[in-house]
Amino acid sequence: MAKAAKPAAAKGDQVVLTIDVGGSHVKILTSAGGEMRRAESGPGLTPQRVVASVNKLAEGLSYDVISMGYPGPVRDNKPSLDPFNLGKGWKGYDFSAAFGKPVKLVNDALMQAIGSYEGGRMLFLGLGTGLGAAMILDNVGQPMELAHLPYRKGLSFEDYVGERGLEKHGKKKWRKYVFDVVNRLRAALQPDYVVIGGGNVDKLDELPEKSRRGDNTRAFEGGFRLWRDKALVV
């Protein structure tokens, strides 16, 4: 597993600003508390627009370091590919330079996974615009690009359990596909437990075996832990 470039270590009294970049909104919250703030996202969202939106959202807030969840793969603390559901120009973008503060950038599913982690071997799956995935194995976090692996009829996991699949197949069939995908991944990866998060988890009235319901707000806690949890390896 390639190690991300590590910004300067945070001190215990440093305030962390967590940024959660999603397909519909960019959301921020600081570790000092207060209300979550958000701005519209969408398929035309560029990294420059994210920086401008966050700077506007964060007016009046004081913070020292930044954690950021990005909906795509990350390498050397920068996006390594443009996201499927947003705009262009992300690959290689230097958010530390753009914000003028130390930034830890991780895959958005991994950030929510870190915030949901309770030890052992955990698989996290995020049901939203797409399908986010990450594992944490005894405090070692690993983002996983599972969404676009082939599943059925030449289509991917994301085509069936992401937003497109929900709209195409309807809630009843979508739930069956979610159970099938979770069970397949659990059999392959052998986690102790599965956390199912993302905006569409609320559309599940039951959960697969050995699974628990996640909460999107845990992404903020994951961002805080990136700087504060010394046992965590990402």
Side-chain angles (χ1 to χ4, degrees):
M1 179 176 62
K3 292 185 178 180
K6 293 187 179 294
K11 299 178 182 178
D13 58 350
Q14 284 185 314
V15 176
V16 182
L17 174 72
T18 294
I19 305 168
D20 185 14
V21 179
S24 56
H25 292 95
V26 175
K27 296 173 283 189
I28 71 167
L29 183 71
T30 76
S31 58
E35 294 293 321
M36 183 266 287
R37 303 179 182 186
R38 70 181 189 177
E40 296 292 321
S41 177
L45 189 70
T46 63
Q48 293 85 358
R49 284 180 57 192
V50 168
V51 172
S53 292
V54 168
N55 285 337
K56 186 173 182 180
L57 288 172
E59 286 178 357
L61 299 178
S62 177
Y63 55 94
D64 304 294
V65 294
I66 296 172
S67 293
M68 186 171 175
Y70 166 71
V74 173
R75 181 128 185 176
D76 296 329
N77 212 45
K78 298 174 183 177
S80 59
L81 290 173
D82 283 349
F84 281 89
N85 299 310
L86 300 177
K88 303 297 183 183
W90 295 79
K91 182 179 178 181
Y93 191 83
D94 188 344
F95 284 97
S96 296
F99 283 115
K101 289 182 181 289
V103 175
K104 288 189 177 185
L105 182 75
V106 296
N107 174 264
D108 60 342
L110 179 58
M111 192 165 76
Q112 190 172 155
I114 291 167
S116 306
Y117 183 59
E118 295 180 355
R121 298 168 57 93
M122 183 192 78
L123 170 64
F124 174 85
L125 297 171
L127 303 174
T129 306
L131 173 66
M135 284 198 78
I136 302 182
L137 307 176
D138 298 323
N139 288 309
V140 178
Q142 176 62 57
M144 306 182 78
E145 291 296 316
L146 302 178
H148 304 286
L149 294 178
Y151 176 47
R152 290 178 177 230
K153 299 179 181 179
L155 299 176
S156 68
F157 285 126
E158 181 172 284
D159 290 321
Y160 279 84
V161 302
E163 190 70 36
R164 292 189 302 274
L166 177 60
E167 293 173 355
K168 179 178 179 180
H169 299 290
K171 191 182 293 185
K172 185 176 180 180
K173 284 188 176 180
W174 175 82
R175 286 171 173 167
K176 289 178 64 176
Y177 292 133
V178 168
F179 268 64
D180 185 50
V181 167
V182 171
N183 289 334
R184 286 171 185 247
L185 293 175
R186 192 178 72 242
L189 299 171
Q190 295 291 299
D192 298 324
Y193 59 102
V194 181
V195 174
I196 304 176
N200 285 334
V201 68
D202 292 340
K203 295 180 173 66
L204 295 174
D205 50 4
E206 297 179 10
L207 295 178
E209 183 182 356
K210 294 185 179 179
S211 299
R212 65 177 172 84
R213 198 175 299 273
D215 182 339
N216 276 356
T217 63
R218 301 303 297 175
F220 295 116
E221 177 62 25
F224 305 153
R225 284 186 182 182
L226 278 171
W227 287 98
R228 295 182 170 179
D229 188 344
K230 303 303 181 186
L232 186 67
V233 179
V234 294

